[in-house]
């Protein structure tokens, strides 16, 4: 083969090989970039006409490094947000009960399965397309169909020493009764239920939510939804950004050494309101010798409470236990002498009740 022809063929093959490298590299590089968040959600006219009720929204299109292939619409139900519809355009919705309000959000997706951050929440009522010439009254469904009012006044920190997120809000109202509040946190792929706060008996105007195990110094976005016994859901609160805090340092749990011949009794009284309580504890030396230095451990029926303050001792919480260590001025308890201690706490569900008490490792009566 002439040398000139050989050189030309060699150069052509090398060029073809080099050109294939970027294509092969591109083919093996996965698309991991999610689309942008859908924005500007608004209620839109119901597409078409007819008598079927429809909850319809529209939004501004998302963008993607390759291409947005569609959108999923999630609707709020009693169990949380569930996927209600999918569309390739920027208008969508689902059938519903005429006049009922529905809360939803939208996420965009691409061909690689990447999902955008969720849109803000929007609440719209289901309506019909073209109304009939002569509207007819809609019969009222049986039972309770009135939703609680929108939760409001979210603020933080409501438990300054709590290691994590803590915030509170004003109680919602209802024509019958609010039974609980669902708390939703925004995550990269949607709004997920982070917890449920029951409504205890009483008239205290604030509700509390606490969550540990979060990244200290990071802000998390929440909404709160009130619900009643009939399953009616309120409009979600306005989104609220809460900071995961370090909390106050807590001393290690002391280990008491049993004191020979020690004898004691403990009396307990509790004042409960809404989702808070104040406990008054009476500790008596029923023995015949001085108690010089003491640790009192009160064990409760559950750990559904969070210590907020205490008095007449160094007070800490360890699960379902409240632990008091003497202060310098009440270190010595003489025979038949009584001292008063106490603490305040927030709780969820049923107020905890004391089960047993030990003083320096010795069980107390009462």
């Amino acid at each position: 083969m002439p040398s000139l022809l050989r050189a030309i063929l060699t150069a052509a093959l090398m060029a073809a090989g080099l050109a294939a490298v970027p294509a092969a590299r591109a083919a093996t590089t996965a698309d991991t970039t999610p689309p942008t968040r859908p924005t500007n959600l608004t209620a839109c006219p119901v597409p078409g006409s007819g008598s079927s009720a429809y909850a319809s929204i529209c939004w501004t299109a998302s963008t993607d490094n390759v291409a947005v292939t569609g959108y999923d619409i999630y609707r709020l139900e009693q169990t949380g947000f569930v996927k209600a519809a999918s569309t390739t355009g920027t208008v969508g919705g689902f059938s519903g009960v005429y006049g009922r309000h529905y809360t939803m959000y939208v996420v965009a997706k691409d061909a690689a399965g990447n999902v955008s951050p969720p849109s803000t929440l929007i609440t719209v009522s289901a309506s019909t397309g073209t109304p009939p010439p002569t509207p007819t009254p809609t019969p009222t469904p049986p039972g309770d169909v009135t939703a609680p009012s929108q939760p409001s006044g979210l603020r933080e920190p409501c438990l300054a020493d709590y290691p994590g997120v803590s915030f509170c809000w004003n109680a919602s109202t209802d024509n019958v009764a609010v039974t609980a509040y669902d708390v939703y946190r925004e995550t990269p792929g949607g709004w997920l239920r982070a917890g449920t706060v029951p409504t205890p008996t009483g008239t205290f105007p604030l509700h509390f939510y606490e969550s540990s195990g979060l990244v200290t110094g990071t802000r998390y976005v929440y909404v709160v939804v009130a619900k009643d016994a009939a399953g009616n859901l309120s409009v979600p609160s306005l989104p609220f950004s809460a900071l995961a805090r370090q909390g106050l340092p807590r001393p290690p749990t002391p280990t008491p050494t049993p004191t020979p011949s020690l004898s004691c009794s403990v009396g307990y009284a509790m004042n409960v309101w809404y989702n808070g309580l104040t406990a008054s504890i009476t500790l008596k030396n029923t023995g015949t010798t001085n108690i010089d230095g003491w640790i009192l451990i009160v064990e409760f029926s559950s750990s559904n409470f969070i210590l907020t303050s205490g008095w007449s001792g160094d007070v800490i919480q360890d699960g379902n236990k409240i632990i008091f260590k003497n202060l310098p001025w009440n270190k010595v308890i003489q025979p038949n002498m009584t001292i008063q201690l106490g603490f305040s706490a927030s709780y969820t569900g049923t107020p905890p009740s004391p089960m047993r008490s030990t003083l320096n490792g010795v069980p107390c009566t009462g």
Side-chain angles (χ1 to χ4, degrees):
M1 179 182 294
S3 59
L4 178 59
L5 179 59
R6 185 182 299 110
I8 293 173
L9 289 174
T10 301
L13 290 172
M14 291 180 62
L18 291 174
V21 170
R25 186 176 300 157
T28 59
T29 301
D31 175 16
T32 59
T33 303
T36 60
R37 185 195 308 264
T39 57
N40 301 323
L41 272 68
T42 58
C44 281
V46 174
S49 62
S51 58
S52 297
Y54 198 82
S56 180
I57 59 172
C58 51
W59 57 91
T60 299
S62 298
T63 60
D64 187 62
N65 64 319
V66 179
V68 174
T69 57
Y71 300 87
D72 290 332
I73 301 174
Y74 286 81
R75 177 180 64 208
L76 178 61
E77 297 183 358
Q78 292 188 58
T79 55
F81 283 95
V82 297
K83 186 162 70 172
S86 296
T87 179
T88 56
T90 56
V91 178
F94 44 83
S95 298
V97 178
Y98 180 80
R100 177 171 292 180
H101 288 81
Y102 294 91
T103 297
M104 60 191 93
Y105 70 85
V106 182
V107 294
K109 55 189 180 181
D110 63 18
N114 299 305
V115 177
S116 75
S119 70
T120 57
L121 300 176
I122 185 173
T123 302
V124 301
S125 59
S127 60
T128 57
T130 303
T134 305
T136 56
T138 302
T140 302
D144 176 18
V145 295
T146 302
S149 63
Q150 181 183 31
S152 62
L154 276 68
R155 51 200 179 274
E156 62 160 357
C158 292
L159 298 172
D161 64 340
Y162 186 77
V165 161
S166 71
F167 60 90
C168 50
W169 61 91
N170 299 333
S172 294
T173 58
D174 187 62
N175 64 320
V176 179
V178 175
T179 57
Y181 297 83
D182 287 331
V183 179
Y184 290 87
R185 181 171 64 232
E186 181 184 352
T187 67
W191 290 88
L192 298 183
R193 185 160 60 181
T196 298
V197 178
T199 301
T201 58
T203 57
F204 193 69
L206 293 181
H207 292 69
F208 292 84
Y209 171 77
E210 310 92 23
S211 179
S212 60
L214 302 174
V215 179
T216 300
T218 300
R219 285 199 167 272
Y220 297 85
V221 178
Y222 295 86
V223 295
V224 179
V225 177
K227 58 185 180 181
D228 62 19
N232 298 304
L233 303 176
S234 75
V235 174
S237 69
L238 296 177
F240 177 74
S241 173
L243 178 66
R245 302 172 188 271
Q246 184 176 3
L248 299 180
R250 303 193 177 198
T253 302
T255 302
T257 301
T259 301
S261 70
L262 183 150
S263 178
C264 56
S265 67
V266 172
Y268 184 89
M270 183 166 61
N271 180 32
V272 177
W273 68 94
Y274 191 57
N275 59 349
L277 62 87
T278 299
S280 298
I281 298 173
T282 302
L283 172 61
K284 182 178 181 179
N285 180 0
T286 57
T288 58
T289 58
N290 288 347
I291 299 174
D292 189 359
W294 50 268
I295 294 173
L296 174 68
I297 300 177
V298 183
E299 184 177 351
F300 291 85
S301 57
S302 64
S303 58
N304 63 332
F305 63 94
I306 296 177
L307 175 71
T308 56
S309 64
W311 54 91
S312 298
D314 287 328
V315 189
I316 62 172
Q317 178 179 354
D318 181 16
N320 68 330
K321 300 174 183 177
I322 294 293
I323 303 173
F324 296 84
K325 187 178 185 302
N326 67 264
L327 296 174
W329 59 268
N330 61 6
K331 179 183 177 185
V332 177
I333 308 177
Q334 299 175 356
N336 294 318
M337 180 179 176
T338 298
I339 61 174
Q340 300 292 329
L341 311 103
F343 68 93
S344 295
S346 64
Y347 71 93
T348 58
T350 304
S353 57
M355 297 176 59
R356 61 187 64 88
S357 302
T358 58
L359 185 68
N360 292 354
V362 177
C364 295
T365 61

